[in-house]
């Protein structure tokens, strides 16, 4: 029996390739880069998208020849993959659901505490050798609105509640414990913390714009750890400059790496981090182990976990 071919879209240095030694004798593992991907796709039974920031799959999928029966991306989001041809195909798409939930929730909690306690100001005063006493915000008793009710959003909500923050969760549809989209604006007007953890879809693209920032309280802080295009970045810069909101933190951006001339670098009250909220020590090894476990299920003909609804753009059922 011919071994299935697993094609890996490598991330390139300095990111190491996935550790797939346990598949030796069970699969033929090939590696490719973005430029060679279109020519390699017809050879593959399985595609592992290790370069989760690349849009090479979306660009290379349309074309002649067979395509992989299963695509797995080492990321929670799948917007970088999807094109009409892939969405309409019989190919199964899975994601890295479950790997990033707790790390991202911890990162959001750290951002909330850093803004509440003005840690950026403390570090700046230390660099200037300036002794400046201030009062800071007590987070217990404040309100948060978390947009996105998937595993990451739920983990964020649980962590914020552990800090004593009253937290409302907003999802695609209303259900017990989750508000629907019609409640979003009302919740934004009362929230001290607004956290965006939504998937990027046609419905959510640019959802945080001037109007949404305009309905928030002047004391509110905004955090985005979802996808960059969920936010109209020029509108956020305006909202911060005009003090419509008190501060913000972005870990994702419309264009990454963030260009050196972007006004986001100098927007007042904005914390910028380089898409690292879910990346804890050992995260790549965990992603590799997850793929091997999924491969074993696929090899045995068992149902796969983390199957993405290709039209919705996320794993349903949450």
């Amino acid at each position: 029996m011919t071994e299935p071919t697993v094609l890996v879209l490598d991330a390139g240095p300095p990111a190491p390739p996935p550790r797939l030694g346990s598949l030796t004798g069970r699969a033929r593992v090939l590696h490719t880069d973005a430029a060679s991907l279109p020519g390699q796709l017809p050879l593959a039974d399985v595609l592992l998208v290790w370069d989760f920031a690349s849009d090479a799959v979306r660009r290379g999928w349309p074309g002649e020849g067979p395509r992989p029966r299963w695509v797995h991306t080492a990321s929670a989001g799948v917007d970088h993959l999807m094109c009409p041809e892939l969405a309409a195909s019989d190919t199964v798409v899975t994601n890295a659901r479950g790997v990033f939930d707790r790390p991202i929730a911890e990162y959001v909690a750290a951002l909330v505490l850093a803004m509440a306690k003005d840690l950026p100001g403390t570090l700046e005063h230390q660099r200037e050798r300036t002794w400046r006493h201030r009062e800071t915000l007590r987070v217990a008793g404040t309100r948060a609105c978390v947009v996105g009710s998937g595993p990451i959003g739920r983990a964020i909500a649980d962590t914020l509640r552990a800090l004593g923050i009253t937290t409302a969760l907003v999802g695609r549809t209303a259900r017990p414990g989750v508000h629907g989209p019609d409640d979003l604006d009302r919740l934004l007007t009362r929230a001290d913390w607004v956290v965006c953890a939504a998937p990027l879809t046609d419905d959510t693209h640019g959802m945080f714009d001037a109007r949404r920032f305009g309905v928030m309280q002047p004391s509110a802080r905004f955090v985005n750890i979802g996808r960059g295009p969920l936010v109209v970045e020029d509108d956020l810069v305006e909202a911060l400059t005009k003090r419509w909101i008190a501060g913000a933190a972005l870990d994702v951006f419309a264009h990454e790496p963030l260009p050196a001339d972007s006004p986001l670098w100098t927007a007042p009250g904005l914390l910028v981090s380089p898409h690292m909220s879910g990346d804890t020590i050992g995260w790549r090894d965990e992603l590799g182990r997850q793929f091997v476990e999924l491969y074993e299920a696929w090899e045995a003909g068992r149902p796969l976990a983390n199957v993405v609804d290709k039209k919705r753009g996320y794993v349903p059922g949450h």
Side-chain angles (χ1 to χ4, degrees):
M1 182 177 177
T2 304
E3 296 175 348
T5 297
V6 175
L7 181 63
V8 181
L9 176 59
D10 285 327
R19 297 185 182 184
L20 302 179
S22 60
L23 299 186
T24 301
R26 300 159 57 189
R28 183 170 69 121
V29 178
L30 304 177
H31 293 263
T32 188
D33 58 16
S36 302
L37 179 66
Q40 298 270 42
L41 281 174
L43 308 177
D45 299 291
V46 179
L47 174 64
L48 168 57
V49 184
W50 195 243
D51 187 355
F52 57 83
S54 172
D55 64 353
V57 176
R58 185 170 63 226
R59 291 185 285 107
W61 195 270
E64 300 296 327
R67 291 294 183 262
R69 292 175 281 157
W70 167 36
V71 174
H72 176 75
T73 179
S75 61
V78 299
D79 51 278
H80 59 296
L81 300 178
M82 301 310 301
C83 62
E85 292 80 5
L86 175 54
S89 73
D90 294 330
T91 297
V92 175
V93 175
T94 56
N95 72 354
R97 181 187 188 201
V99 173
F100 301 106
D101 308 354
R102 297 307 311 177
I104 291 178
E106 292 173 1
Y107 198 87
V108 170
L111 290 172
V112 167
L113 290 171
M115 288 188 281
K117 304 306 179 184
D118 190 27
L119 295 187
T122 295
L123 293 172
E124 182 62 28
H125 294 319
Q126 180 177 348
R127 281 191 293 266
E128 296 172 350
R129 301 180 182 230
T130 300
W131 183 274
R132 182 170 298 169
H133 180 271
R134 290 105 65 215
E135 295 179 346
T136 63
L137 178 67
R138 180 177 180 179
V139 298
T142 59
R143 295 176 180 270
C145 175
V146 178
V147 183
S149 60
I152 292 174
R154 295 201 303 271
I156 292 168
D158 289 344
T159 304
L160 296 183
R161 289 178 184 129
L163 294 174
I165 301 173
T166 300
T167 304
L169 196 58
V170 179
R172 184 173 180 269
T173 57
R175 54 197 182 278
V178 179
H179 294 267
D182 291 345
D183 290 338
L184 178 56
D185 285 353
R186 176 178 60 82
L187 294 168
L188 292 181
T189 64
R190 305 170 59 194
D192 301 289
W193 313 99
V194 177
V195 182
C196 182
L200 180 60
T201 67
D202 290 342
D203 292 334
T204 61
H205 193 286
M207 68 182 299
F208 283 98
D209 56 10
R211 188 187 69 79
R212 287 256 161 79
F213 293 125
V215 302
M216 295 181 194
Q217 300 184 87
S219 59
R221 271 90 168 178
F222 173 76
V223 176
N224 184 21
I225 49 78
R227 282 291 183 265
L230 294 166
V231 176
V232 180
E233 292 175 347
D234 287 345
D235 290 357
L236 175 58
V237 171
E238 181 182 21
L240 291 167
T241 302
K242 293 182 176 179
R243 301 292 193 266
W244 294 351
I245 59 175
L250 299 181
D251 187 56
V252 288
F253 303 87
H255 300 286
E256 297 180 3
L258 186 65
D261 61 353
S262 170
L264 292 169
W265 288 109
T266 54
L270 178 61
L271 299 178
V272 170
S273 59
H275 204 147
M276 58 181 281
S277 62
D279 302 348
T280 52
I281 294 170
W283 66 286
R284 287 191 174 92
D285 288 341
E286 189 172 353
L287 287 171
R289 287 192 296 270
Q290 182 187 55
F291 174 74
V292 169
E293 291 173 2
L294 287 169
Y295 182 86
E296 290 171 347
W298 181 83
E299 182 182 45
R302 300 194 303 271
L304 287 170
N306 296 5
V307 174
V308 173
D309 183 319
K310 293 184 290 183
K311 290 185 171 54
R312 293 184 181 180
Y314 55 87
V315 178
H318 53 259

